[in-house]
């Protein structure tokens, strides 16, 4: 079996000058777990140019969805940003990644902490009923610089709670907590600070973070992960894997 498949772009949505998302066809044989990523790309001069992308769609969706940055002069994204419905795109035949429910020990509250396009894997996870079966509360925190960077805001705040199938679970268990660093907004500040000073737990009505009840998935820049890791470890939490589940798991949203 080839490592790459050709899929067809079905729709494209531009959120800002720097951010867009798109949906593609999905080969029936392509399987993934919520939170995983795959390689996607374009054939340039006959050769595949591929980058890692988290899968933003639900594992049961007939299509695949991706949220993408537009890096000025970025090798892939300077071309990817021009995708239009009907275009072909390469999608890896396999998915992988560390943001897996099975890498976490049972807990009560699941914190999903993402900055920028680090939201993408969590868009898949919050559409997975298994998440709500395993946790009493799911707190999705999306950190961005400006309000306009909050892609999927109305989907998360309005559409998902009204969803015919997931709505009851989402209304009962999901707390969507966008936070902004560079302009006024109802929630302000870096995720690290909001956790360190107890603002996040307080705002969502939960006790300070602790090993017994709280589980974390992190997806952001190297710096964001480096800042958060000691905070979690300081509270007695340890990183999990499929072979040795723990209290938190980590994935880079991009490589610098
Ligand atoms: C596990 C994993 C999952 C990823 N998932 C996604 C995803 O869902 N969506 C997505 O847009 N990208 C994602 N990326 C990043 C992606 O692989 C590419 O880096 C991105 O598409 C830019 O590609 P490029 O060739 O245009 O530029 P590159 O040459 O790859 O990147 C150039 C520079 O742009 C910056 N950059 C790259 N990606 C980002 C980003 N996402 N946010 C902010 N700055 C960035 C970095 O400083 C990087 O050095 C992921 C990376 C990893 C490792």
């Amino acid at each position: 079996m080839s490592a790459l498949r050709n899929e067809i772009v079905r729709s494209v949505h531009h959120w800002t000058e720097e951010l867009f998302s798109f949906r593609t066809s999905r080969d029936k044989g392509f399987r993934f777990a919520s939170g995983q990523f795959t390689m996607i790309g374009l054939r340039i001069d006959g050769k595949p140019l591929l980058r890692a992308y988290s899968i933003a769609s639900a594992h049961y969706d007939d299509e695949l969805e991706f949220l993408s940055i537009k890096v000025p002069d970025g090798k892939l994204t300077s071309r990817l940003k021009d995708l239009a419905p009907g275009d072909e795109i390469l999608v890896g035949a396999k998915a992988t990644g560390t943001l897996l429910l099975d890498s976490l020990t049972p807990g009560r509250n699941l914190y999903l902490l993402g900055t920028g396009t680090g939201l993408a894997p969590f868009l898949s996870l919050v559409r997975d009923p298994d998440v709500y079966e395993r946790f009493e509360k799911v707190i999705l925190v999306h950190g961005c610089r400006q309000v306009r960077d909050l892609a999927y805001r109305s989907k998360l705040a309005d559409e998902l709670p009204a969803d015919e199938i997931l709505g009851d679970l989402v209304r009962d268990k999901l707390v969507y907590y966008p936070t902004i660093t560079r302009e006024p907004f109802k929630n302000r500040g870096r995720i690290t600070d909001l956790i360190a000073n107890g603002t996040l737990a307080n705002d969502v009505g939960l006790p300070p973070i602790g090993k017994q009840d709280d589980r974390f998935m992190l997806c952001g820049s190297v710096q964001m992960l480096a800042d958060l890791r000691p905070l979690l470890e300081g509270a007695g939490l340890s990183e999990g894997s499929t072979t040795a589940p723990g209290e938190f798991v980590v994935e880079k949203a991009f490589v610098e």
Side-chain angles (χ1 to χ4, degrees), residues 37 49 51-55 66-71 73-78 80 116-118 120-121 219 251-256:
F37 70 89
L49 175 63
R51 292 286 184 266
Y53 268 79
S54 297
I55 303 160
F66 301 96
L67 168 63
S68 181
I69 192 88
K70 303 175 202 174
V71 179
D73 303 323
K75 258 197 179 163
L76 180 65
T77 54
S78 59
L80 207 63
T117 60
C219 190
E251 190 106 82
K252 286 189 202 89
F254 59 93
V255 183
E256 308 192 26

Side-chain angles (χ1 to χ4, degrees), residues 18 36 138 151 166 212:
E18 290 101 31
Q36 286 190 314
V138 179
L166 284 176
Q212 184 163 336

